[in-house]
Amino acid sequence: MDGTDPESESDVESTPERTEPNHEEDSSDERGAAEDESNARRDPPETATIGPSEFAQGVSARTPPIDESIPDSDLDLDSPEWYLNRELSELSFQWRVLYEALDDRNPPLERLRFLSILTRNMDEFFMKRIGGLKQQLAANVTEPTVDGRTPRDQWTASLETAAELFETQSQCFTRDVRPLLSEAGIEISGYAELSDADIDRLRSYFESSVLPTLTPLTFDPAHPFPFISNLSLSLAVLSEDDAGDERFSRIKIPANRPRLISVADPGTPLEERSDDHRVVKIEEVIEANLDLLFPNVEIRHTSTFRVTRNAEVRRNEDVAEGLIDRIEDVLRQRRFATVVRLEVTECVPDPVLDLLVTHLEVDESEVFRRSGPLALGDFAELCELDYPELKLDPWTPRQHPQFAGLSPDAPGDVFEALRERDKLVHHPYHSFRETVQRFLDAAAHDPDTLAIKVAIYRTAPDSKVIRSLIDAAKNGKQVAVMVELKARFDEENNLRWVKRLEEEGIHVAYGSIGLKTHSKVALAVREEADSVRIYSHVASGNYHSETAKGYVDLGLFTVDPDIGQDLIRLFNSFTGHSRHDQYRKLLVAPETLRSRIYELIDREIQRAETGDCGRIVAKMNALEDPGVVEKLYEAGRARVEVDLIVRGICRLRPGIVGVSDTVRVHSVVGRFLEHSRIFRFGGDDPAYFIGSADWMTRNLDRRVEAVAPVEDPTLRSELDAVLSVMLADNRTRWTMRRDGSYVQRRPEPGEPSRGTHGVLMDRARRTAPDDRSHPGSDPGREPSIDLDEVYTTDPFDG
């Protein structure tokens, strides 16, 4: 799993959805007390809450609660007690990511990988979420959000929670992961542990390869305080000259030099060495050789620090000269944005810290003293070393059975296979290259293809998708590409591709004023003997070959003419000046998606109220929208059985008697990043959908999203199989409790371990054409698992 999901970004709430907080609590309510006792009985006998001083190994882990004041079931659904805070819910997800590093069932390098992932996730959280909250504080915004917290409340609580996360992360690395790596031969050495020969070798390397890249910047009356760039690692140096004058200097650790240097052979990349994997951090090499930078002065102190800046730089799009100019301006502004976090090593002396706090203009609560190394994301390079016993078994995406034998050199065969029946591809279990990329390549080189249209939110820096589109244009196809320039942190990459596409004469749209285009859709228009046919692809994931190796996503290939015509309308809205408000089958935001979700939930409510079985199973990345949460509470009051598989943010409180005790919330966190969206409404005659949209306000109202129905019975069975596997997971599934905490499932004594990703990898191996035992078999549902009954077995329901 790569826990960094750039699509998880969202605008910080600046206006309240509900402005009248109700602070009634039910702590004295007898029913609530009885329920608490019942929940305690259902908890596993050993459950440990994750924290800096406690490693929840060997028992079921529990994340810290978000809000322990439980609402009374008679309380109006407009009351803030019903809604968990969005920021704290995201940090709860980060606790679950961190637990993958704490969990001793994972091999050491996998645990290190999750420490690295957490670092990147928290960098983005501070740049986006904390940055947005600081903007609100600066603007004196005091209105509470739907959960009743003001921006200052959220900012304060988020910083307190982040401090606990950071300390737990540091302790995990120092006390657990680093010793395990050392035992296996990967030694992260301190300078004091090195021999004289090692030190001489490193000094020679420093002088030849590091020293020329360094630029010490001293702060004194003749020199201003240096600018500290975002996420850069810096060395603070306090020195004293012969006259007794003390000076502060900042040295930026060069990002173009390895962070971890081989002790045995400093000039050789670590992965090229077959033995002696001792490494030392580059900042320690610099510290040990400062006499070459500052001759004839006494070095009084050195320590590392790291600055995080706000990425929520905005301008009014209506007054920008153009979207391209606006995005380039935003990229420039980000570099100089407000500081939102200062990380320092524990040993930093007060004078140095005071200087940094003063000149970086940070609040003391934004300062984090770290007991372990800063910027653990850099340590991920160790995961590339050849130590298979320290890693999970590698995974190679398998061929999709129905794409086997197809070649882009015979594009007619590809289109014939797509005409036979709808197809569902599931990444990273199925190869992106041999499915989605093959479709685009076939369309680019097929003499009968007239036009290709693709909406790109993110794509790989060296994108074969883009190259296929360029080939198509050169082959005389009409090619139109919607590139979302406002895709956070991919703006620069997308700008480069826009310019290249335009150079090739391809029609490029940049997105819409006021809306982000988040749809993941493509189509090929082909002239055939009987008609002009539209081949459509609607997906939950980006057209990005690299993330498709680690993100779990679904894509539907169909020749359904209604879906094809809907996509034509959608693409016309990208390049034209008006938007359609009616679609035949697609659910499109912001026009129809919200209203259709409400209608589908209402349908299940009506079924339950008339005595039928109302049933909803929904998988998504985040459930944040208060309107949808309220609808789900209404479903719970009507006794609709609801299972929500929500990877990250979830505002809804499950398990409250009379309101949400038929609603369960699950989260799966493991080796892959769960990114797909699946929506199933109904027990009998259910409706199924997949697509790009989470149930967040931004996705329903401020983004262009596309969600497609899945109507083929075989594909529906495949979706049921995926959902049933996830709901039966006893290895990587967490179940939310009503206070916002999560408990991780563990196998009962004698019960086999069933982790979602492991089970689905096994299924992909079995069904792949090269090694499946029954070529014509339908994977269907997992044996002995009934999706409509699986919720009754959950011991953590609460």
Coordinates of all heavy atoms in Angstrom, one line a residue, residues 366-402:
E366 N 3.1 24.3 17.2 CA 3.5 23.8 15.8 C 4.9 23.2 15.8 O 5.4 22.8 14.7 CB 3.3 24.9 14.8 CG 1.9 25.4 14.6 CD 1.8 26.6 13.7 OE1 2.5 27.6 14.0 OE2 1.0 26.6 12.8
V367 N 5.6 23.2 16.9 CA 7.0 22.7 17.0 C 6.9 21.3 17.5 O 6.3 21.0 18.6 CB 7.8 23.6 18.0 CG1 9.2 23.0 18.1 CG2 7.9 25.0 17.5
F368 N 7.5 20.4 16.8 CA 7.5 19.0 17.2 C 9.0 18.5 17.4 O 9.8 18.5 16.5 CB 6.9 18.1 16.1 CG 5.4 18.5 15.9 CD1 5.0 19.4 15.0 CD2 4.4 17.9 16.7 CE1 3.7 19.8 14.9 CE2 3.1 18.2 16.5 CZ 2.7 19.2 15.6
R369 N 9.3 18.2 18.7 CA 10.6 17.6 19.0 C 10.6 16.1 18.7 O 9.7 15.4 19.3 CB 11.0 17.9 20.5 CG 11.3 19.3 20.8 CD 11.6 19.4 22.3 NE 11.9 20.8 22.7 CZ 13.2 21.3 22.8 NH1 14.2 20.5 22.6 NH2 13.4 22.5 23.2
R370 N 11.4 15.7 17.8 CA 11.4 14.3 17.4 C 12.5 13.5 18.0 O 13.7 13.9 18.0 CB 11.5 14.2 15.9 CG 10.4 15.0 15.1 CD 9.0 14.5 15.3 NE 8.9 13.1 15.0 CZ 8.5 12.6 13.8 NH1 8.2 13.5 12.8 NH2 8.3 11.4 13.5
S371 N 12.2 12.4 18.6 CA 13.2 11.5 19.3 C 13.9 10.6 18.3 O 14.9 9.9 18.6 CB 12.6 10.7 20.4 OG 11.5 9.9 19.9
G372 N 13.4 10.5 17.1 CA 14.0 9.7 16.0 C 14.4 10.6 14.9 O 14.3 11.8 14.9
P373 N 14.9 10.0 13.8 CA 15.4 10.8 12.6 C 14.2 11.6 12.0 O 13.1 11.1 12.0 CB 15.9 9.7 11.7 CG 16.1 8.5 12.5 CD 15.2 8.5 13.6
L374 N 14.5 12.7 11.5 CA 13.5 13.5 10.8 C 13.4 12.9 9.3 O 14.3 12.3 8.8 CB 13.9 15.0 10.7 CG 14.1 15.7 12.0 CD1 14.4 17.2 11.8 CD2 13.0 15.5 13.0
A375 N 12.3 13.2 8.7 CA 12.1 12.8 7.3 C 12.3 11.3 7.0 O 13.2 10.9 6.2 CB 13.0 13.7 6.4
L376 N 11.6 10.5 7.8 CA 11.8 9.1 7.6 C 11.4 8.6 6.2 O 11.7 7.4 5.8 CB 10.9 8.3 8.7 CG 11.6 8.1 10.0 CD1 10.6 7.5 11.0 CD2 12.8 7.1 9.8
G377 N 10.7 9.4 5.5 CA 10.3 9.0 4.1 C 11.6 8.7 3.3 O 11.5 7.9 2.4
D378 N 12.7 9.3 3.6 CA 13.9 9.1 2.8 C 14.4 7.7 3.1 O 15.2 7.2 2.3 CB 15.0 10.1 3.2 CG 14.7 11.5 2.9 OD1 13.8 11.7 2.0 OD2 15.2 12.4 3.5
F379 N 14.0 7.0 4.2 CA 14.6 5.7 4.5 C 13.9 4.6 3.7 O 14.3 3.4 3.8 CB 14.4 5.5 6.0 CG 15.3 6.2 6.9 CD1 15.3 7.6 6.8 CD2 16.1 5.6 7.8 CE1 16.2 8.4 7.6 CE2 17.0 6.3 8.6 CZ 17.0 7.7 8.5
A380 N 12.9 5.0 2.9 CA 12.3 3.9 2.0 C 13.3 3.3 1.0 O 13.0 2.2 0.6 CB 11.1 4.6 1.3
E381 N 14.4 4.0 0.7 CA 15.3 3.4 -0.2 C 15.9 2.1 0.3 O 16.3 1.2 -0.4 CB 16.5 4.3 -0.5 CG 17.4 4.7 0.7 CD 18.5 5.6 0.3 OE1 19.5 5.2 -0.3 OE2 18.4 6.8 0.6
L382 N 15.9 1.9 1.7 CA 16.4 0.6 2.2 C 15.5 -0.6 1.8 O 15.9 -1.7 1.8 CB 16.5 0.7 3.7 CG 17.5 1.7 4.3 CD1 17.4 1.7 5.8 CD2 18.9 1.3 3.9
C383 N 14.2 -0.2 1.5 CA 13.2 -1.3 1.1 C 13.6 -1.9 -0.2 O 13.0 -2.9 -0.6 CB 11.8 -0.7 1.1 SG 11.3 -0.1 2.7
E384 N 14.5 -1.2 -1.0 CA 14.8 -1.7 -2.3 C 16.0 -2.7 -2.2 O 16.3 -3.3 -3.2 CB 15.2 -0.6 -3.2 CG 14.1 0.5 -3.4 CD 12.8 -0.1 -3.9 OE1 12.9 -0.9 -4.8 OE2 11.8 0.2 -3.3
L385 N 16.6 -2.9 -1.1 CA 17.7 -3.8 -0.9 C 17.2 -5.2 -1.1 O 16.0 -5.6 -0.8 CB 18.4 -3.6 0.4 CG 19.0 -2.3 0.7 CD1 19.6 -2.2 2.1 CD2 20.1 -2.0 -0.4
D386 N 18.1 -6.1 -1.5 CA 17.8 -7.5 -1.8 C 17.8 -8.3 -0.5 O 18.7 -9.1 -0.3 CB 18.7 -8.1 -2.8 CG 18.3 -9.5 -3.3 OD1 17.1 -9.8 -3.1 OD2 19.2 -10.2 -3.8
Y387 N 16.7 -8.2 0.3 CA 16.5 -9.0 1.5 C 15.1 -9.6 1.5 O 14.2 -9.1 2.2 CB 16.7 -8.1 2.7 CG 18.1 -7.8 3.1 CD1 18.8 -6.7 2.4 CD2 18.8 -8.5 4.1 CE1 20.1 -6.4 2.8 CE2 20.1 -8.2 4.4 CZ 20.8 -7.1 3.8 OH 22.1 -6.8 4.1
P388 N 14.9 -10.6 0.6 CA 13.5 -11.1 0.5 C 12.9 -11.6 1.8 O 11.7 -11.5 2.0 CB 13.7 -12.2 -0.5 CG 15.1 -12.6 -0.6 CD 15.9 -11.3 -0.2
E389 N 13.8 -12.0 2.7 CA 13.3 -12.5 4.0 C 12.8 -11.4 4.9 O 12.0 -11.7 5.9 CB 14.3 -13.3 4.7 CG 15.5 -12.5 5.3 CD 16.6 -12.2 4.2 OE1 16.3 -12.4 3.0 OE2 17.6 -11.7 4.6
L390 N 13.1 -10.2 4.6 CA 12.6 -9.0 5.4 C 11.5 -8.3 4.7 O 11.1 -7.2 5.2 CB 13.8 -8.0 5.5 CG 15.1 -8.5 6.2 CD1 16.1 -7.4 6.3 CD2 14.8 -9.2 7.5
K391 N 10.9 -8.9 3.7 CA 9.8 -8.2 2.9 C 8.6 -9.2 2.8 O 8.8 -10.4 3.0 CB 10.3 -7.8 1.5 CG 11.5 -6.9 1.5 CD 11.9 -6.6 0.0 CE 13.2 -5.8 -0.1 NZ 13.5 -5.5 -1.5
L392 N 7.5 -8.6 2.4 CA 6.4 -9.5 1.9 C 6.8 -10.1 0.5 O 7.7 -9.5 -0.2 CB 5.2 -8.6 1.7 CG 4.6 -8.0 3.0 CD1 3.4 -7.1 2.6 CD2 4.1 -9.1 4.0
D393 N 6.2 -11.2 0.2 CA 6.5 -11.8 -1.1 C 6.1 -10.8 -2.2 O 5.0 -10.1 -2.1 CB 5.7 -13.1 -1.3 CG 6.2 -14.2 -0.4 OD1 7.3 -14.1 0.0 OD2 5.4 -15.1 -0.1
P394 N 6.9 -10.6 -3.2 CA 6.6 -9.7 -4.3 C 5.3 -10.0 -5.0 O 5.0 -11.2 -5.1 CB 7.8 -9.7 -5.2 CG 8.4 -11.1 -5.0 CD 8.2 -11.4 -3.5
W395 N 4.7 -9.0 -5.6 CA 3.5 -9.3 -6.3 C 3.6 -8.7 -7.7 O 4.0 -7.5 -7.9 CB 2.3 -8.6 -5.7 CG 1.0 -8.6 -6.5 CD1 0.4 -7.6 -7.1 CD2 0.3 -9.8 -6.9 NE1 -0.7 -8.0 -7.9 CE2 -0.8 -9.4 -7.7 CE3 0.4 -11.2 -6.6 CZ2 -1.7 -10.3 -8.3 CZ3 -0.5 -12.1 -7.1 CH2 -1.6 -11.6 -7.9
T396 N 3.3 -9.5 -8.7 CA 3.3 -9.1 -10.1 C 1.8 -9.2 -10.6 O 1.2 -10.3 -10.5 CB 4.2 -10.0 -11.0 OG1 5.5 -9.9 -10.5 CG2 4.1 -9.5 -12.5
P397 N 1.2 -8.1 -11.1 CA -0.2 -8.1 -11.6 C -0.3 -9.2 -12.6 O 0.6 -9.4 -13.5 CB -0.4 -6.7 -12.1 CG 0.5 -5.9 -11.3 CD 1.8 -6.7 -11.1
R398 N -1.4 -9.9 -12.6 CA -1.7 -11.0 -13.5 C -2.5 -10.6 -14.7 O -3.2 -9.6 -14.7 CB -2.4 -12.1 -12.7 CG -1.7 -12.8 -11.6 CD -0.3 -13.3 -12.0 NE 0.3 -14.3 -11.1 CZ 1.2 -14.0 -10.2 NH1 1.6 -12.8 -10.1 NH2 1.7 -15.0 -9.5
Q399 N -2.4 -11.5 -15.7 CA -3.3 -11.2 -16.9 C -4.7 -11.4 -16.5 O -5.1 -12.3 -15.7 CB -2.9 -12.2 -18.0 CG -1.9 -11.8 -18.9 CD -1.9 -12.7 -20.2 OE1 -2.4 -13.8 -20.2 NE2 -1.3 -12.1 -21.3
H400 N -5.5 -10.5 -17.1 CA -7.0 -10.7 -17.0 C -7.4 -11.8 -17.9 O -7.0 -11.9 -19.1 CB -7.7 -9.4 -17.4 CG -9.2 -9.4 -17.1 ND1 -10.1 -10.2 -17.8 CD2 -9.9 -8.7 -16.2 CE1 -11.3 -10.0 -17.3 NE2 -11.2 -9.1 -16.3
P401 N -8.2 -12.8 -17.4 CA -8.5 -14.0 -18.3 C -9.1 -13.6 -19.6 O -8.8 -14.3 -20.6 CB -9.5 -14.8 -17.4 CG -9.3 -14.4 -16.0 CD -8.8 -12.9 -16.1
Q402 N -9.9 -12.5 -19.7 CA -10.6 -12.2 -20.9 C -9.7 -11.3 -21.8 O -10.2 -10.9 -22.9 CB -11.9 -11.6 -20.6 CG -12.9 -12.6 -19.9 CD -14.1 -12.0 -19.4 OE1 -14.1 -10.8 -18.9 NE2 -15.2 -12.7 -19.5

